[in-house]
Amino acid sequence: EVQLVESGGGLVQPGGSLRLSCAVSGFTFSSYEMNWVRQAPGKGLEWVSYISSIGSTIFYADSVKGRFTIARDNAKNSLYLQMNSLRVEDTAVYYCAREVVYDAFDLWGQGTMVTVSS
Amino acid sequence: IQMTQSPSSLSASVGDRVTITCQASQDISKYLNWYQQKPGKAPKLLIYDASKLEVGVPSRFSGSGSGTDFTFTISSLQPEDIATYYCQQHDNLPPYTFGQGTKLEIK
């Protein structure tokens, strides 16, 4: 089955760290660019980060630059998001999303909730 | 690039034609996607490159436009279409900017 499954979310204090994972199955992970997108409670979608198929090109939203790090392990069919110096405003559901050649996100995971609160 | 969707919410009856607009703050050519998100679910790609229907998406969904002004249309609203709809530009990257969303409800 073609799917993305996120994990690693949870409750963390401001200033803390979390590492999200996205396990991929059912397709050739190494052929696809990948993204993280988040959605704060009751709010819209916000793109967070992009990584190319071999990890050579990486982009971040200004809101997370310098605090978040995206990475991938094509041998393990996994995508990661290391989140440091977390802020209350980082509270959101985080989705991993596959990007296809026409620069659209055609496959999404179910999301993992990150709550930053003291 | 800023993406402005309107309206922010919309109430319509089953069978109605529904239209949502998305305006870019600068020319993005045809590089606009549309997503549907049902409550508690991940977004789903419906339309890419302004007017191309993603495989498996019903033909009652369509998109048009280029440059700065885009339109998303449901030709005959069905109960299962209740969701929030988002536009997303992919011309000037990064970032992949989303519109603020349009919440569609049944009247």
Side-chain angles (χ1 to χ4, degrees):
Chain A
E1 182 183 3
V2 176
Q3 62 177 359
L4 307 174
V5 179
E6 301 95 337
S7 60
L11 175 63
V12 61
Q13 291 188 337
S17 297
L18 274 179
R19 187 196 195 206
L20 305 183
S21 298
C22 173
V24 167
S25 59
F27 64 95
T28 305
F29 178 59
S30 59
S31 297
Y32 289 88
E33 302 161 351
M34 297 293 295
N35 292 267
W36 288 98
V37 177
R38 68 184 180 182
Q39 186 169 36
K43 302 298 184 182
L45 301 171
E46 180 188 15
W47 170 80
V48 173
S49 186
Y50 158 95
I51 187 167
S52 62
S53 60
I54 59 171
S56 57
T57 300
I58 286 172
F59 299 132
Y60 297 101
D62 287 345
S63 57
V64 307
K65 201 173 294 183
R67 300 187 299 121
F68 290 12
T69 302
I70 191 172
R72 65 190 297 160
D73 186 334
N74 287 343
K76 294 184 177 179
N77 289 332
S78 293
L79 176 71
Y80 306 102
L81 187 68
Q82 177 67 43
M83 303 187 297
N84 298 331
S85 302
L86 281 162
R87 304 167 180 169
V88 170
E89 55 266 33
D90 294 320
T91 295
V93 174
Y94 284 74
Y95 296 99
C96 58
R98 184 178 77 174
E99 182 174 337
V100 286
V101 293
Y102 37 91
D103 290 341
F105 301 170
D106 76 322
L107 181 66
W108 297 66
Q110 85 288 351
T112 187
M113 183 70 204
V114 172
T115 303
V116 184
S117 175
S118 55
Chain B
I1 298 177
Q2 306 301 317
M3 306 302 296
T4 303
Q5 275 183 246
S6 62
S8 56
S9 63
L10 175 59
S11 181
S13 301
V14 172
D16 281 355
R17 182 181 184 88
V18 171
T19 298
I20 298 169
T21 64
C22 183
Q23 186 170 60
S25 59
Q26 64 188 66
D27 189 334
I28 59 169
S29 185
K30 64 175 182 177
Y31 300 118
L32 186 98
N33 305 323
W34 289 97
Y35 298 85
Q36 175 193 65
Q37 186 179 32
K38 296 184 178 181
K41 300 294 186 181
K44 175 186 177 182
L45 176 65
L46 300 180
I47 303 280
Y48 65 94
D49 287 350
S51 61
K52 298 177 182 177
L53 200 65
E54 177 71 350
V55 172
V57 174
S59 59
R60 65 180 180 274
F61 296 101
S62 65
S64 64
S66 66
T68 60
D69 295 303
F70 300 85
T71 300
F72 172 82
T73 300
I74 306 174
S75 59
S76 178
L77 184 66
Q78 301 301 303
E80 61 268 29
D81 300 336
I82 298 312
T84 300
Y85 293 85
Y86 294 92
C87 62
Q88 177 205 33
Q89 71 86 19
H90 64 94
D91 176 50
N92 190 359
L93 304 173
Y96 295 78
T97 319
F98 289 92
Q100 79 276 20
T102 296
K103 187 175 183 180
L104 178 56
E105 299 174 328
I106 291 285
K107 191 181 294 182

Coordinates of all heavy atoms in Angstrom, one line a residue, chain B residues 3 6 10 12 14-15 18 21 23 25 40 51-52 64 68 70-71 76 82-85 90 97-98 103 106:
Chain B
M3 N -1.1 34.8 -1.3 CA -2.3 34.2 -1.9 C -3.5 34.5 -1.2 O -3.6 34.3 0.1 CB -2.1 32.6 -2.0 CG -0.8 32.2 -2.7 SD -0.6 32.8 -4.3 CE -2.0 32.0 -5.2
S6 N -11.0 33.9 -1.7 CA -12.3 34.4 -1.3 C -13.4 33.6 -1.9 O -13.3 33.0 -3.0 CB -12.5 35.9 -1.7 OG -12.4 36.0 -3.1
L10 N -18.4 29.7 2.9 CA -19.4 29.7 1.8 C -20.5 28.6 2.2 O -20.1 27.5 2.6 CB -18.8 29.3 0.5 CG -19.6 29.1 -0.7 CD1 -20.4 30.4 -1.1 CD2 -18.7 28.8 -1.9
A12 N -23.8 26.6 0.6 CA -24.5 26.4 -0.6 C -25.4 25.1 -0.5 O -25.2 24.3 0.4 CB -23.5 26.2 -1.8
V14 N -27.1 21.5 -2.0 CA -26.7 20.4 -2.9 C -27.2 20.7 -4.3 O -28.4 21.1 -4.5 CB -27.4 19.1 -2.4 CG1 -27.2 17.9 -3.4 CG2 -26.7 18.7 -1.0
G15 N -26.4 20.5 -5.3 CA -26.7 20.7 -6.7 C -26.3 22.1 -7.2 O -26.3 22.4 -8.4
V18 N -20.6 26.1 -7.3 CA -19.9 26.8 -6.3 C -18.6 27.3 -6.9 O -17.9 26.5 -7.6 CB -19.6 25.8 -5.1 CG1 -18.6 26.5 -4.1 CG2 -20.9 25.5 -4.4
T21 N -12.4 31.8 -5.5 CA -11.3 32.5 -6.2 C -10.1 32.6 -5.4 O -10.1 32.6 -4.1 CB -11.8 33.9 -6.6 OG1 -12.0 34.7 -5.4 CG2 -13.0 33.9 -7.5
Q23 N -6.3 34.8 -5.5 CA -5.6 35.8 -6.2 C -4.1 35.9 -5.7 O -3.9 35.9 -4.5 CB -6.2 37.2 -6.0 CG -5.6 38.3 -6.8 CD -6.4 39.6 -6.7 OE1 -6.6 40.1 -5.6 NE2 -6.8 40.1 -7.9
S25 N -0.3 37.7 -5.4 CA 0.1 39.1 -5.3 C 1.1 39.4 -6.5 O 1.4 40.6 -6.6 CB 0.9 39.3 -4.0 OG 2.0 38.4 -3.9
G40 N -10.5 16.7 10.2 CA -9.7 15.7 10.8 C -8.9 14.8 9.8 O -8.3 13.8 10.2
S51 N -5.6 24.0 -13.9 CA -6.7 23.5 -14.6 C -6.7 22.0 -14.8 O -7.7 21.4 -15.4 CB -7.0 24.2 -15.9 OG -5.9 23.9 -16.8
K52 N -5.6 21.3 -14.4 CA -5.5 19.9 -14.7 C -6.0 19.1 -13.5 O -5.6 19.2 -12.4 CB -4.0 19.6 -14.9 CG -3.5 20.3 -16.2 CD -2.0 20.0 -16.4 CE -1.5 20.8 -17.6 NZ -0.1 20.6 -17.8
S64 N -9.5 27.1 -13.3 CA -9.2 27.9 -14.4 C -8.4 29.1 -14.0 O -8.3 29.4 -12.7 CB -10.4 28.4 -15.2 OG -11.2 29.2 -14.4
T68 N -2.5 36.2 -12.2 CA -2.8 36.4 -10.8 C -4.2 36.0 -10.3 O -4.4 36.0 -9.1 CB -2.6 37.9 -10.5 OG1 -3.6 38.7 -11.3 CG2 -1.2 38.4 -10.8
F70 N -7.3 33.2 -10.3 CA -7.7 31.8 -10.5 C -9.1 31.5 -9.9 O -9.5 32.2 -8.9 CB -6.6 30.9 -9.8 CG -5.3 31.2 -10.4 CD1 -4.4 32.2 -9.9 CD2 -4.8 30.4 -11.4 CE1 -3.2 32.4 -10.4 CE2 -3.5 30.6 -12.0 CZ -2.7 31.6 -11.5
T71 N -9.7 30.5 -10.5 CA -11.0 30.1 -10.0 C -11.1 28.6 -9.9 O -10.6 27.9 -10.7 CB -12.1 30.6 -11.0 OG1 -12.1 32.0 -11.2 CG2 -13.5 30.2 -10.6
S76 N -21.7 20.9 -9.5 CA -22.9 20.5 -8.9 C -22.6 20.0 -7.5 O -22.1 18.8 -7.4 CB -23.7 19.4 -9.7 OG -24.9 19.0 -9.0
I82 N -18.3 18.7 1.3 CA -18.2 19.6 2.4 C -16.7 19.5 3.0 O -16.3 18.4 3.4 CB -19.2 19.3 3.5 CG1 -20.6 19.5 3.0 CG2 -18.9 20.1 4.8 CD1 -20.8 20.8 2.3
A83 N -16.0 20.6 3.0 CA -14.6 20.6 3.3 C -14.1 22.0 3.3 O -14.8 22.9 3.0 CB -13.8 19.7 2.3
T84 N -12.8 22.1 3.6 CA -12.1 23.4 3.4 C -11.2 23.2 2.2 O -10.5 22.2 2.0 CB -11.3 23.8 4.6 OG1 -12.2 23.9 5.7 CG2 -10.6 25.1 4.4
Y85 N -11.2 24.2 1.3 CA -10.4 24.2 0.1 C -9.3 25.2 0.1 O -9.5 26.4 0.6 CB -11.4 24.4 -1.1 CG -12.3 23.3 -1.3 CD1 -13.5 23.3 -0.6 CD2 -12.0 22.3 -2.2 CE1 -14.4 22.2 -0.8 CE2 -12.9 21.2 -2.3 CZ -14.1 21.2 -1.6 OH -15.0 20.1 -1.8
H90 N 3.1 27.5 -6.8 CA 4.4 26.8 -6.9 C 5.2 27.4 -8.0 O 6.0 26.7 -8.7 CB 4.2 25.3 -7.0 CG 3.5 24.8 -8.3 ND1 4.2 24.5 -9.4 CD2 2.2 24.6 -8.5 CE1 3.3 24.1 -10.3 NE2 2.1 24.2 -9.8
T97 N 3.4 28.8 -1.0 CA 2.4 29.5 -0.3 C 1.0 29.0 -0.5 O 0.6 28.8 -1.6 CB 2.5 31.0 -0.7 OG1 3.8 31.4 -0.8 CG2 1.8 31.8 0.4
F98 N 0.3 28.8 0.6 CA -1.1 28.4 0.6 C -2.0 29.6 0.8 O -1.6 30.6 1.5 CB -1.4 27.4 1.7 CG -0.8 26.0 1.5 CD1 0.4 25.7 2.0 CD2 -1.5 25.1 0.8 CE1 0.9 24.4 1.8 CE2 -1.0 23.8 0.6 CZ 0.2 23.5 1.1
K103 N -13.9 27.6 3.7 CA -14.7 26.6 4.3 C -16.1 26.5 3.6 O -16.8 27.5 3.6 CB -14.9 26.8 5.8 CG -15.6 25.7 6.6 CD -15.6 26.0 8.1 CE -16.2 24.9 8.9 NZ -16.2 25.1 10.3
I106 N -22.9 23.1 3.8 CA -24.2 22.8 3.1 C -25.3 23.7 3.8 O -25.4 23.8 5.0 CB -24.6 21.3 3.2 CG1 -23.7 20.5 2.4 CG2 -26.1 21.1 2.8 CD1 -23.9 20.5 0.9

